[in-house]
Amino acid sequence: MDRYAVIGHPVSHSKSPFIHTLFARQTFQQMTYEALDLPEDRFVEGINVLFANGLRGCNVTVPFKQEAYHYAQQLTERAKLAQAVNTLKVTDDGIILGDNTDGAGLLADLKLEFGGLENQKILLVGAGGAARGVLGPLLKANPAQVVICNRTPAKAKALADQFSDYGHVDYSLIEALDESFDLIINATSASLSGHALALPDALIHHKICCYDMMYMSGLTPFNQWAKNLGARQVLDGVGMLVSQAAESFAIWRGLRPGTRSVINELRRNLRT
C-alpha cells in the first residue's frame, strides 16, 4: 500500500489526513496518509529517512515550504515562481519532484464560489509566503489588476516588482486604498490569532467579495469585519485547502478527486 503524509511542525492540527482519506475512498486508491511532525532543524534528515523507507510523496506545510523548494531535485514552473514547495513526489525514475498547488487550489475555489477573475480588480493583503504562492496563478487568470498591500510597504513593493512581468500588479500603502476593488484576498495569518486587519472600512461595498485564506469553525475576524460592513460575499480557506489537496492528489495518483462532497464533510468536521 502506497504511503503519503503531510510534513510540518507543528502538524497535529492538520486536516490533510482527513481530506486525503476521503479522496482515497472516493477514487478507490490503495494508500495511507498521515501527519508527521519533524523537528525544525531536521527536515532534510527526516525526509531522507521517510523516502528511503518507501514514502511515495508528501505535502509540506509550515515551516518547511522553502526548505522543500531547495530539497527538490526537479521543480515545476509554478514552484519556481512561488519559490516554495508544498508537494513532493518520487517520480518513476526516482527523482524528487517539487510543486506548489496553493495557487491552483485558490483559483479552483474562486472559480467555484466567485466566478472568473478576468477583468476583476483584486486587492491581495500580505506579502509573505502565502501571497507569493498564489500571486503567479492569480495574474495568469487575467484580472484587470492585482494590488498588493502589507504592513511593511517595502515588502509589498518588492513582491509587485518581482511579478511585474506576469501581469498588471502594483502595490499600495494601506491608507491610500479605496473602494474600487471587486475582490479582496487576505493572505496574512492574522485571523489565526484572532486579529482583524487594519484596513479602511471604505474598502467594503455591497458588490465586493472578501476571501480569507485562513479558516476556522465560524467566520474569521476578517470575514466578520467584511460582513458587518455589508460585503456581498465572504469566503474562507476551506475550499482552497481541499482544492489544493486535490491538485496534490492528482500529481501523486494521476486522477483528480471531486472536491464538493469533501468540502462539505470538512465543514461538518470543523463544527464538531
Side-chain angles (χ1 to χ4, degrees):
M1 185 172 291
D2 292 336
R3 184 185 177 203
Y4 298 89
V6 56
I7 309 297
H9 180 76
V11 77
S12 61
H13 65 284
S14 175
K15 296 299 182 182
S16 291
F18 179 86
I19 293 167
H20 283 281
T21 297
L22 292 180
F23 284 162
R25 189 179 304 160
Q26 177 192 130
T27 56
F28 304 101
Q29 296 296 294
Q30 298 299 309
M31 56 179 282
T32 63
Y33 188 105
E34 59 192 312
L36 297 174
D37 194 315
L38 292 181
E40 284 195 56
D41 59 347
R42 296 181 64 184
F43 174 76
V44 172
E45 178 185 348
I47 202 77
N48 280 339
V49 170
L50 289 169
F51 281 133
N53 288 334
L55 192 73
R56 298 299 304 159
C58 63
N59 289 123
V60 181
T61 189
V62 176
F64 298 128
K65 289 186 180 184
Q66 286 188 310
E67 284 191 77
Y69 172 78
H70 294 291
Y71 178 82
Q73 297 167 319
Q74 183 177 334
L75 295 164
T76 64
E77 285 303 313
R78 58 190 181 185
K80 292 177 184 176
L81 191 57
Q83 295 182 13
V85 159
N86 78 334
T87 303
L88 292 170
K89 173 188 176 179
V90 182
T91 66
D92 290 342
D93 53 2
I95 299 296
I96 305 297
L97 174 69
D99 202 346
N100 190 307
T101 66
D102 286 334
L106 174 62
L107 261 63
D109 193 40
L110 283 171
K111 183 177 180 180
L112 192 66
E113 301 289 353
F114 173 77
L117 298 182
E118 190 170 357
N119 298 321
Q120 300 293 304
K121 188 172 179 182
I122 302 170
L123 175 63
L124 182 63
V125 185
R132 179 184 296 277
V134 302
L135 184 52
L138 281 174
L139 290 170
K140 288 182 180 180
N142 297 315
Q145 183 184 26
V146 175
V147 176
I148 305 169
C149 74
N150 189 61
R151 287 183 302 175
T152 306
K155 290 185 177 180
K157 182 181 186 303
L159 191 59
D161 289 345
Q162 181 184 340
F163 282 81
S164 60
D165 290 340
Y166 298 93
H168 190 180
V169 57
D170 297 297
Y171 79 100
S172 174
L173 299 175
I174 291 176
E175 56 268 25
L177 297 169
D178 58 32
E179 71 282 357
S180 61
F181 297 98
D182 303 296
L183 171 66
I184 302 176
I185 299 173
N186 176 26
T188 77
S189 59
S191 290
L192 295 182
S193 56
H195 297 144
L197 297 174
L199 295 173
D201 289 353
L203 285 172
I204 306 303
H205 52 82
H206 70 282
K207 293 183 179 180
I208 202 166
C209 173
C210 291
Y211 191 108
D212 196 334
M213 287 169 58
M214 302 298 109
Y215 65 90
M216 52 185 57
S217 58
L219 287 176
T220 66
F222 171 73
N223 281 350
Q224 187 67 65
W225 166 77
K227 184 178 180 181
N228 290 345
L229 291 171
R232 174 181 65 86
Q233 186 178 22
V234 294
L235 301 167
D236 65 16
V238 167
M240 175 183 171
L241 175 66
V242 175
S243 296
Q244 66 82 22
E247 185 82 359
S248 295
F249 191 93
I251 292 166
W252 297 326
R253 308 302 293 180
L255 74 168
R256 183 177 302 278
T259 57
R260 175 58 75 182
S261 64
V262 178
I263 290 171
N264 292 337
E265 284 295 325
L266 179 54
R267 289 203 183 278
R268 278 193 285 269
N269 178 266
L270 287 170
R271 289 195 294 266
T272 58

